[in-house]
DNA sequence: TGGGAGTGCTTTTTT
DNA sequence: AGCACTCCCA
């Protein structure tokens, strides 16, 4: 046990060994949050204060859950099986499977991922004859999920206008459709299990008495429903140990509510609030910069990171003329780092939005530097995989209309839109699923449909096979294999289908032996259902070239929780980072700033910041001012790799690489033409200063001589046309 | 039924 | 600009 606690700093030690009462741990970036969480569990168990089955630990991502399990099993000699450790969704799934009857769900209920949900909504709109221009399916999904995440069923939503009234109506119909089909979306997993526990008293008591220790990771990311779920489970006197960092809350846009941290403190009368402020990750200058940035936020619980490591290198800042130049500079810098012995995998390129990755990728590709992009399609989201899974879903539950619609005519088997329409009408009239309605249309040109039904029946007969063979069989029988064999680009898809069979093998090996809670009754293909749930809940790795030593490219959001020796944050421009959409929302800017804080604290040794004066975005060139976040870092921490404009009191042309062919027109308030003008002339892209509007950048110009006018983007003060002969414009 | 042209959107994302 | 999605025609 003393081994367990060795090496913890006083605050970490205090947190780990708190008596089992409610506690809130404010854990700064790089302060050993995961270590505290896992050690806490290990300590509770090894001191006999907790039995494994009394522990419930929740995370947001599967990765975090896995990490916790791995660390725990290396700390504890016992097996971790008895504990409930997983994501909110994973645990809710477990709960609903175990009590599907009480939750009014079929045993083999299926889980809709976001794409499935979208197509289910589209199907609903069609069958309800609703104009999807007026009610965009995406927006409707968002609305429904938002309501569910706030814990509201359709009948509890107060419609504030006619439009919303209709949306609420559609919400109700959507839920009815899901119920009929025996499917459950992500938000429903949460809401349904919340309702199950709140309505079913014996069940609630059972779990409240069972879980004495509830631990929550990334608490700042919980939404209202998740918080209520936790509250419900702790209702029997369990101790809640929440770990989070309000400064790293970057998911408010999807419903996360930092307010939960304050609410928790208040509603649970939390007396134990511990701040972990010692950072073990970054050098001093990097931390100072992060602290300086986040200080500009007003709504904070308050925390200041410090380190025992030296201040390290200054933060390097680069001002590029264009996004292209920025990318080229990064390439050169990365090459130099490589020569100095830095592993490429230890270097990350971060950006605010995915659109920015293209330029970077082009440059990296041209330079032959291996890189890896995070984000994008994941394994279980690929179309060939989803097709195969849809067949499997139909085996498990033929009433799953989403799966049915997906593959009824894929590969094509002559079932066109009009026979499907007929089928849909028949199904609706009889109040049954599409599959069940097939016999009714069999007479009228439904021969192909009948054949499809036969196909599914045939697959079901094979349902006795072990999972991997069943998958193989389905891929074969469905015609998917044959289809991709003839398709030009089908090779990768075939390989992925083989990989799916493999996934089945692995799944059996890893989970198959586990066996779920006692409630599980050993009926038909529980393993198939849990494999499908696994596919929906854990979409697999993001596609990326793995293995070799590659540069890491990702958005700041996906970098959360990761760390690198060297970090580049590119595109630090007003409008981009902070994003312009965010600056309009009330708390948007603070969230952007937290995002910047997360980005900066990813770096261990070296941090690069860069911005470009010109950037191609959505097909047009934009002239952006440097991000305000650059100004929020004390100048003493920065080392400009390019002469900073305005520093010397007169204009300095933006750095451009030799050989750049970009012509930059120069304008002058006098008729004097000065091609090499570095004093009084102005050019597009130049930073200027106006006595009233402040700092700006020239984005356009017209006329010449005394008629010359320039358009200047003053950021917050807006866009202005100014006559150079009149306006008091000085180079900045 | 499949492809080609036309249209519109474009912050961040896990489950 | 680039991509996803729709629509219409052969």
């Amino acid at each position: 046990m003393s081994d367990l606690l060795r090496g913890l700093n006083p605050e970490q030690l205090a947190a780990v060994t708190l008596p089992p009462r409610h506690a809130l741990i404010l854990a700064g970036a790089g302060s050993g949050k995961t270590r505290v969480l896992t050690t806490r569990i290990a300590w509770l168990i090894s001191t006999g204060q907790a039995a494994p089955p009394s522990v419930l630990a929740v995370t947001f991502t599967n990765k975090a859950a896995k990490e916790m399990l791995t660390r725990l099993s290396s700390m504890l000699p016992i097996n971790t099986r008895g504990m409930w450790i997983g994501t909110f969704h994973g645990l809710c799934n477990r709960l609903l499977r175990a009590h599907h009857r009480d939750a009014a769900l079929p045993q083999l209920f299926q889980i809709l991922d976001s794409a499935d949900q979208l197509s289910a909504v589209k199907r609903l709109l069609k069958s309800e004859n609703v104009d999807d221009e007026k009610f965009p399916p995406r927006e409707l999904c968002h609305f429904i999920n938002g309501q569910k995440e706030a814990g509201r069923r359709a009948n509890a939503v107060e419609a504030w206008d006619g439009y919303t009234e209709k949306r609420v109506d559609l919400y109700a119909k959507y839920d009815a459709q899901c119920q009929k089909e025996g499917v459950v979306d992500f938000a429903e997993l949460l809401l349904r299990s919340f309702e199950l526990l709140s309505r079913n008293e014996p069940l609630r008591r059972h779990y409240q008495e069972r879980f004495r220790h509830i631990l929550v990771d990334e608490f700042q990311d919980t939404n209202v429903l998740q918080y209520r779920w936790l509250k419900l489970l702790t209702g029997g006197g369990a101790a809640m140990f929440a770990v989070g960092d309000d400064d790293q809350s970057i998911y408010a846009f999807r419903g996360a509510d930092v307010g939960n941290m304050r609410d928790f403190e208040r509603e649970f009368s939390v007396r134990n609030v511990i701040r972990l402020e010692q950072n073990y990750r970054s050098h001093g200058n990097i931390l100072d910069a992060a602290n300086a940035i986040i200080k500009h936020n007003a709504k904070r619980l308050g925390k200041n990171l410090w380190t025992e490591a030296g201040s390290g290198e200054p933060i390097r800042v680069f001002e590029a003329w264009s996004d292209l130049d920025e990318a080229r500079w990064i390439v050169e810098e990365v090459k130099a780092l490589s020569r100095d012995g830095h592993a490429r995998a230890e270097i990350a390129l971060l950006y605010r939005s995915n659109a920015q990755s293209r330029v970077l990728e082009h440059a990296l590709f041209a330079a032959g530097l291996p890189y890896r992009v995070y984000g994008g399609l994941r394994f279980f989201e690929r179309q060939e995989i989803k097709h195969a899974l849809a067949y499997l879903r139909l085996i498990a539950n033929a009433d799953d209309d989403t799966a049915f619609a997906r593959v009824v005519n894929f590969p094509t088997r002559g079932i066109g839109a009009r026979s499907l329409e007929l089928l849909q009408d028949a199904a609706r009239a009889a109040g049954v699923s599409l599959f069940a309605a097939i016999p009714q249309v069999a007479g009228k040109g439904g021969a192909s449909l009948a054949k499809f039904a036969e196909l599914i029946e045939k697959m079901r007969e094979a349902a006795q096979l072990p999972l991997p063979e069943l998958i193989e069989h389905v891929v074969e029988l469905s015609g998917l294999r044959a289809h991709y064999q003839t398709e030009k680009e089908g090779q990768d898809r075939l390989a992925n289908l083989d990989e799916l069979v493999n996934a089945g093998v692995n799944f059996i090996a890893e989970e198959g032996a586990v066996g779920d809670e006692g409630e599980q009754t050993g009926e038909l293909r529980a393993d198939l259902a849990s494999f499908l749930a696994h596919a929906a809940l854990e979409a697999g790795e993001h596609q990326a070239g793995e293995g070799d030593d590659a540069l890491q490219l990702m958005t700041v959001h996906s970098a959360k929780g990761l760390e690198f020796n060297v970090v580049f944050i590119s595109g630090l421009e007003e409008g981009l980072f902070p994003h312009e959409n965010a600056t309009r929302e009330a708390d948007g800017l603070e969230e952007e700033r937290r995002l910047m804080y997360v980005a900066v604290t990813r770096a261990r040794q070296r941090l690069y910041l860069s911005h470009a004066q010109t950037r191609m975005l959505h097909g047009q060139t934009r002239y952006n001012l440097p991000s305000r976040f650059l100004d929020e870092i004390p100048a003493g921490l920065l080392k400009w790799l390019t002469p900073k404009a305005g520093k010397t009191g007169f204009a300095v042309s933006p750095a451009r690489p030799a050989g750049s062919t970009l012509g930059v027109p120069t304008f002058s308030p006098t008729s004097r033409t000065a091609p090499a003008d570095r004093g009084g002339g102005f050019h597009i892209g130049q930073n200027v200063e106006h006595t009233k509007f402040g700092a700006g950048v020239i984005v356009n110009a017209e006329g010449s001589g005394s008629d010359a006018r320039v358009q200047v983007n003053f950021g917050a003060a807006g866009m202005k046309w100014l006559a150079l002969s009149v306006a008091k414009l000085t180079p900045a």
Side-chain angles (χ1 to χ4, degrees):
Chain A
M1 178 186 119
S2 56
D3 265 1
L4 212 61
L5 305 178
R6 185 171 304 150
L8 296 175
N9 70 33
E11 293 75 30
Q12 291 174 329
L13 184 67
V16 165
T17 57
L18 278 174
R21 284 188 217 110
H22 302 314
L24 177 61
I25 313 301
L26 295 172
S31 64
K33 164 184 74 102
T34 312
R35 181 167 181 205
V36 165
L37 207 46
T38 45
T39 313
R40 166 76 173 174
I41 298 175
W43 184 77
L44 284 172
I45 289 173
S46 61
T47 53
Q49 297 183 74
S54 70
V55 173
L56 177 97
V58 210
T59 63
F60 275 85
T61 64
N62 293 298
K63 206 171 134 208
K66 229 170 260 168
E67 168 84 11
M68 201 182 285
L69 272 171
T70 317
R71 289 211 204 180
L72 262 180
S73 38
S74 75
M75 285 180 182
L76 288 172
I78 58 144
N79 117 11
T80 49
R81 284 280 143 73
M83 295 180 242
W84 276 39
I85 295 181
T87 63
F88 277 103
H89 294 85
L91 297 177
C92 289
N93 176 50
R94 191 169 175 176
L95 207 61
L96 293 176
R97 296 271 167 209
H99 308 287
H100 66 269
R101 227 168 266 121
D102 293 317
L105 286 170
Q107 191 209 357
L108 299 182
F109 70 86
Q110 299 299 307
I111 298 168
L112 301 183
D113 68 14
S114 330
D116 294 331
Q117 184 187 31
L118 186 65
S119 57
V121 163
K122 282 181 184 164
R123 208 152 31 76
L124 176 76
L125 293 181
K126 195 161 269 175
S127 77
E128 290 292 319
N129 278 319
V130 174
D131 183 0
D132 59 3
E133 305 257 287
K134 270 195 206 129
F135 296 89
R138 278 180 190 287
E139 201 274 335
L140 194 54
C141 278
H142 185 76
F143 174 79
I144 292 172
N145 293 337
Q147 296 303 330
K148 286 190 181 183
E149 277 159 17
R152 284 190 291 266
R153 287 289 177 195
N155 58 25
V157 185
E158 284 182 39
W160 51 90
D161 57 21
Y163 182 68
T164 304
E165 227 165 81
K166 182 66 184 166
R167 289 195 296 181
V168 171
D169 175 50
L170 289 167
Y171 172 17
K173 287 183 165 129
Y174 165 79
D175 264 2
Q177 173 181 296
C178 288
Q179 182 63 30
K180 197 185 86 202
E181 295 174 17
V183 296
V184 158
D185 62 46
F186 285 140
E188 182 73 23
L189 282 172
L190 263 305
L191 183 53
R192 186 72 70 113
S193 68
F194 174 79
E195 289 172 346
L196 171 70
L197 291 176
S198 53
R199 287 177 191 159
N200 190 322
E201 205 195 327
L203 211 57
R204 178 173 69 244
R205 279 243 192 81
H206 169 77
Y207 283 105
Q208 282 177 338
E209 275 158 30
R210 168 178 172 166
F211 298 124
R212 308 309 299 162
H213 304 274
I214 295 182
L215 302 97
V216 194
D217 192 16
E218 307 273 18
F219 189 66
Q220 78 281 356
D221 286 337
T222 48
N223 62 33
V224 169
L225 181 55
Q226 285 159 340
Y227 178 59
R228 284 172 59 186
W229 189 87
L230 290 166
K231 225 159 109 179
L232 191 62
L233 272 178
T234 43
M240 180 142 112
F241 187 88
V243 182
D245 180 0
D246 54 317
D247 290 334
Q248 289 189 73
S249 158
I250 55 175
Y251 286 111
F253 73 92
R254 67 171 194 217
D257 185 359
V258 213
N260 286 342
M261 295 183 85
R262 277 175 199 270
D263 288 351
F264 172 55
E265 214 181 325
R266 198 186 64 239
E267 295 176 2
F268 287 69
S269 328
V270 178
R271 307 248 291 289
N272 302 302
V273 177
I274 294 181
R275 286 178 162 74
L276 303 181
E277 299 177 298
Q278 183 176 0
N279 173 292
Y280 295 91
R281 180 187 295 157
S282 312
H283 281 157
N285 285 339
I286 295 172
L287 279 191
D288 289 348
N291 283 331
I293 291 167
I294 203 67
K295 263 214 186 91
H296 286 82
N297 272 3
K299 298 182 184 167
R300 296 181 65 208
L301 296 179
K303 218 172 358 59
N304 217 33
L305 293 182
W306 61 276
T307 178
E308 281 179 351
S311 47
E313 308 172 353
I315 294 162
R316 292 164 165 81
V317 192
F318 184 78
E319 177 180 66
W321 162 243
S322 69
D323 48 350
L324 238 84
D325 289 336
E326 182 187 45
R328 278 187 284 224
W329 164 73
I330 290 174
V331 165
E332 288 313 312
E333 207 62 40
V334 168
K335 278 186 185 162
L337 288 165
S338 276
R339 277 196 297 274
D340 293 347
H342 280 98
R344 279 187 295 268
E346 271 304 332
I347 305 175
L349 304 192
L350 309 185
Y351 34 82
R352 170 70 239 264
S353 63
N354 282 306
Q356 289 166 254
S357 77
R358 183 168 298 121
V359 196
L360 297 169
E361 286 188 69
H362 272 302
L364 291 168
F365 188 81
L369 277 173
Y371 63 90
R372 209 180 156 180
V373 189
Y374 286 79
L377 260 200
R378 300 192 299 176
F379 183 72
F380 286 107
E381 291 167 1
R382 310 182 146 271
Q383 62 142 308
E384 63 275 18
I385 300 302
K386 294 217 77 171
H387 282 137
L389 291 175
Y391 283 104
L392 291 170
R393 274 163 59 169
L394 286 175
I395 292 176
N397 169 16
D399 294 337
D400 184 340
D401 284 355
T402 303
F404 184 95
R406 180 171 194 104
V407 293
V408 64
N409 198 32
F410 192 97
T412 48
R413 38 177 81 88
I415 300 173
R418 88 201 121 67
S419 22
L420 278 182
E421 223 162 278
L422 275 176
L423 182 66
Q424 226 141 44
D425 292 343
R428 197 148 22 122
V432 296
S433 68
L434 294 172
F435 186 87
I438 288 180
Q440 299 175 43
V441 296
K444 8 187 174 159
S448 323
L449 275 170
K451 264 175 91 181
F452 178 71
E454 262 171 54
L455 175 68
I456 299 301
E457 285 303 338
K458 211 149 129 207
M459 287 180 179
R460 303 190 118 191
E461 283 163 24
Q464 312 311 320
L465 293 171
L467 187 59
E469 274 130 82
L470 177 64
I471 298 171
E472 182 77 62
H473 186 72
V474 162
V475 169
E476 207 60 55
L477 213 60
S478 61
L480 282 175
R481 183 175 300 283
H483 176 264
Y484 287 121
Q485 264 160 358
T486 56
E487 205 180 54
K488 291 186 287 293
E489 311 288 320
Q491 288 320 299
D492 286 351
R493 301 203 190 274
L494 284 174
N496 284 330
L497 286 172
D498 289 338
E499 197 47 46
L500 182 63
V501 177
N502 234 344
V505 175
N506 291 336
F507 183 78
I508 296 295
E510 279 168 33
E511 324 268 321
V514 181
D516 238 279
E517 294 295 290
E519 288 97 333
Q520 188 87 14
T521 38
E523 47 226 67
L524 80 146
R525 292 323 295 249
D527 65 331
L528 177 57
S530 55
F531 177 68
L532 290 170
H534 164 84
L537 290 175
E538 203 170 329
E541 289 285 297
H542 277 294
Q543 188 60 11
E546 58 223 72
D548 44 31
D549 181 28
L551 217 60
Q552 313 282 304
L553 270 69
M554 64 193 87
T555 62
V556 180
H557 280 93
S558 30
K560 187 173 162 204
L562 306 178
E563 55 183 271
F564 307 91
N565 288 341
V566 181
V567 169
F568 288 81
I569 307 174
S570 65
L572 280 167
E573 294 140 40
E574 284 296 299
L576 246 194
F577 197 0
H579 197 278
E580 55 191 344
N581 295 354
T583 50
R584 286 188 214 117
E585 294 155 27
D587 296 326
L589 192 62
E590 295 222 342
E591 178 140 325
E592 292 293 301
R593 193 173 279 112
R594 291 192 292 269
L595 200 49
M596 181 65 184
Y597 174 79
V598 168
V600 167
T601 51
R602 297 309 96 195
R604 293 197 193 101
Q605 297 159 13
R606 184 179 286 199
L607 178 63
Y608 290 95
L609 309 176
S610 64
H611 73 97
Q613 301 189 338
T614 317
R615 182 176 297 274
M616 214 35 173
L617 203 66
H618 306 326
Q620 46 189 329
T621 309
R622 311 201 346 174
Y623 301 87
N624 296 319
L625 289 170
S627 168
R628 70 190 76 190
F629 299 145
L630 285 170
D631 298 330
E632 292 175 359
I633 302 174
L637 301 176
L638 303 177
K639 175 180 168 190
W640 285 81
L641 303 179
T642 36
K644 193 187 177 194
K647 212 163 43 182
T648 50
F650 53 85
V652 178
S653 293
R656 268 188 292 147
S660 166
T661 54
L662 284 163
V664 184
T666 302
F667 302 88
S668 167
T670 71
S671 55
R672 170 181 57 122
T673 45
D677 191 358
R678 299 174 82 82
F682 295 98
H683 56 252
I684 289 181
Q686 181 172 12
N687 293 319
V688 290
E689 184 80 29
H690 186 274
T691 44
K692 188 164 150 215
F693 304 127
V697 58
I698 299 179
V699 301
N700 208 348
E702 62 178 34
S704 62
S706 53
D707 289 337
R709 300 195 322 132
V710 290
Q711 190 182 25
V712 184
N713 178 3
F714 287 107
M719 195 77 87
K720 315 272 184 213
W721 275 103
L722 303 168
L724 285 180
S725 52
V726 178
K728 295 181 195 71
L729 215 53
T730 49

